[in-house]
Amino acid sequence: MRKDYDLLVIGGGINGCGIARDAAGRGLKVCLLEMNDLGGATSASSTKLFHGGLRYLEYFEFRLVREALIEREVLLKAMPHISWPMRFVLPFHRDMRFDGTTPTSKLLGTVMPWMKGRRPAWLIRLGLFMYDNLGGREILPGTKSLDLHAAPEGAPLNKKFKKAFEYSDCWVEDSRLVVLNARDAEDRGADIFTREKVLGSDVTDGVWTVTSENSNTGETTKRTARMVVNAAGPWVGDVLRGTLRSNSSAGVRLVRGSHIVTKRLFDHDKCYFFQGTDGRIIFAIPYETDFTLIGTTDAEHADPSQKPECTDEERDYLIDFINQYIAKPIAVEDIVWTYSGVRPLYDDGADSATAATRDYVLKLDKSRGAPALNVFGGKITTYRRLAESALEKIQTVFPAADKPWTAGVALPGGDFPVDGVAQMIANLKTQFAFLDERWATRLVKAYGSEARDILKGSAIKADLGQDFGATLTEREVNWLIEKEYARCAADVVWRRSKLGLRLSKEEISALDIWMKSRVAAGVTAAAK
């Protein structure tokens, strides 16, 4: 296998995988190293939305919002299996407050001091008008008003809420998006290595030599590259100053976002956008058919090596927040799962974690005598545009690389129309009669057109091999090992899927033992 590359990417989150895919498609020789599982940190712990970022309008982040709004429909067309439109219901009441640090809040505090930080309805409607029109729309419907006492969306809410605005944004299976970008990068010639931690680097005659260690085998490997991309997410600062030994002054601000998951709280497929009296917002989102996802928080997180976890304080904050809105309050006992992720934001000196910019910043550094590109921030929604912006800088080193190409190009399994999901589910059930509606839907919304490839040749359920529970079979797990870099049960039940919500601890443990045996046998066979 090759050990000399044009581009070596450190970090297998959405930014790293997106850059690797774009670069490989332009003809560059690309290697990606990820120390754990693909998307195993920030990219698997998002709120699962790709959206323009309505609240960023309050910070006058118009460029970021416009770019994100345009990207929504570009991405929907490229990955209709793992993303879909969603309507958002924003209840209004007079006690809504701005975050006092936003430019909008400061402006209104000057010209309309009698509002005392409240968000007036006309301002929300103006923001939604901009949201509808900044990026243009072909697929997504625009904003409308709701009478909550007449509309079904009002039924789960406290009766004090009489009016709401309804607008469009989108849902995405975040960690599957990462894996599909990695797969597409590999299909275009990139080498993707997981469980491969970078230990150090040297530069000789303008070429990087990067040393890494495989966490499974302990084997160390040296690879050379003309350029390095530091897309290490929460560890971008550690890689910048430790691994790459750069003297760059660029800094990262780590912000933890925590979420709670409960049993389903409402009987429709729309999301709620709730605004608090403290100026913050949270979402309550239909999740995995039978659940509701609630989040997120914004808290400083000092150390990337400290695993992010939802604290009791954050949990209680989210419970108290949503209980201000819903008619039937929830309690700690209603929570079935919590998760947290760390957003590696560019340190722009903002006063609070909430106010820190969500825009991405790309810093090209040649202080070591060879070029390195350091990636700060970014959102799932704009990952493809971030990759294109990164390639603009990368092409200063590789001017012969091909032109931008990713807009409108489907990810694996996404080669069907945006409105074709229902027909694909029906066709899959017809072709494989042992599937019920829920099973077929799960497969199509995970694998799209490739669901047929996973099931190919099976006439009855038993043809799919061992049953691990919750419709997860040996055939599917083998696909995830061989095609999608899965190596242990957590990779499968918490990142490639969310079947961990349905499987028992015993079932997950049995799957983990089976997978590790299967992976070890594969490694042994490959070594012979």
Side-chain angles (χ1 to χ4, degrees), residues 342-360:
V342 175
R343 295 183 286 268
L345 306 180
Y346 182 69
D347 190 355
D348 60 355
D351 292 336
S352 68
T354 301
T357 182
R358 265 51 177 178
D359 208 348
Y360 55 82

Side-chain angles (χ1 to χ4, degrees), residues 466-481:
Q466 186 170 338
D467 182 354
F468 294 106
T471 73
L472 182 67
T473 66
E474 182 177 339
R475 180 81 66 87
E476 183 178 354
V477 176
N478 276 329
W479 172 277
L480 294 172
I481 292 172

Side-chain angles (χ1 to χ4, degrees), residues 141-431:
T143 297
K144 68 177 186 179
S145 296
L146 291 178
D147 176 355
L148 290 176
H149 285 184
E153 294 83 2
L157 302 181
N158 187 305
K159 294 306 177 186
K160 75 177 183 179
F161 300 104
K162 301 175 181 178
K163 179 180 180 180
F165 302 104
E166 181 180 305
Y167 69 96
S168 291
D169 261 322
C170 304
W171 169 269
V172 64
E173 299 288 356
D174 51 7
S175 46
R176 289 208 56 72
L177 176 63
V178 178
V179 169
L180 294 183
N181 270 271
R183 275 192 57 200
D184 202 47
E186 186 172 51
D187 289 344
R188 298 174 191 276
D191 290 334
I192 309 294
F193 298 96
T194 64
R195 275 74 179 184
E196 192 82 6
K197 184 176 182 178
V198 174
L199 301 178
S201 66
D202 292 295
V203 176
T204 304
D205 297 329
V207 176
W208 291 97
T209 297
V210 176
T211 303
S212 64
E213 180 181 65
N214 184 282
S215 60
N216 292 327
T217 66
E219 180 182 359
T220 59
T221 304
K222 293 183 182 293
R223 299 176 178 88
T224 60
R226 291 175 57 193
M227 186 173 186
V228 167
V229 173
N230 172 14
W235 295 270
V236 63
D238 291 353
V239 171
L240 174 66
R241 277 173 271 281
T243 306
L244 301 182
R245 304 202 300 278
S246 169
N247 58 12
S248 170
S249 61
V252 63
R253 184 171 192 166
L254 302 181
V255 177
R256 185 176 66 253
S258 294
H259 304 76
I260 60 177
V261 177
T262 68
K263 290 292 186 180
R264 186 170 179 167
L265 299 181
F266 40 91
D267 295 326
H268 57 76
D269 60 359
K270 296 178 183 178
C271 169
Y272 289 104
F273 179 118
F274 292 145
Q275 303 180 81
T277 55
D278 62 353
R280 293 212 65 251
I281 63 100
I282 64 168
F283 296 101
I285 311 169
Y287 189 56
E288 296 292 317
T289 306
D290 300 318
F291 305 93
T292 298
L293 171 62
I294 302 165
T296 179
T297 60
D298 274 324
E300 303 287 355
H301 192 84
D303 184 357
S305 63
Q306 180 184 352
K307 183 180 178 181
E309 294 181 347
C310 182
T311 65
D312 290 349
E313 181 181 12
E314 289 173 301
R315 176 202 66 198
D316 293 343
Y317 173 83
L318 292 172
I319 291 173
D320 292 342
F321 199 138
I322 195 169
N323 282 347
Q324 296 174 40
Y325 278 87
I326 58 178
K328 296 180 180 179
I330 63 170
V332 173
E333 298 74 36
D334 297 307
I335 297 173
V336 298
W337 183 45
T338 68
Y339 69 90
S340 298
V342 175
R343 295 183 286 268
L345 306 180
Y346 182 69
D347 190 355
D348 60 355
D351 292 336
S352 68
T354 301
T357 182
R358 265 51 177 178
D359 208 348
Y360 55 82
V361 175
L362 307 175
K363 294 287 187 179
L364 186 60
D365 178 17
K366 298 182 180 180
S367 62
R368 286 287 305 280
L373 182 66
N374 299 289
V375 181
F376 299 89
K379 290 157 43 71
I380 283 180
T381 318
T382 53
Y383 90 89
R384 192 196 64 84
R385 286 291 295 117
L386 181 153
E388 285 189 337
S389 297
L391 264 295
E392 289 176 8
K393 295 183 179 291
I394 290 167
Q395 282 191 289
T396 63
V397 179
F398 304 102
D402 293 339
K403 296 179 181 179
W405 62 275
T406 57
V409 177
L411 289 167
D415 50 344
F416 62 94
V418 172
D419 60 358
V421 172
Q423 187 60 55
M424 183 163 289
I425 292 169
N427 292 344
L428 198 68
K429 287 173 62 183
T430 299
Q431 187 174 354

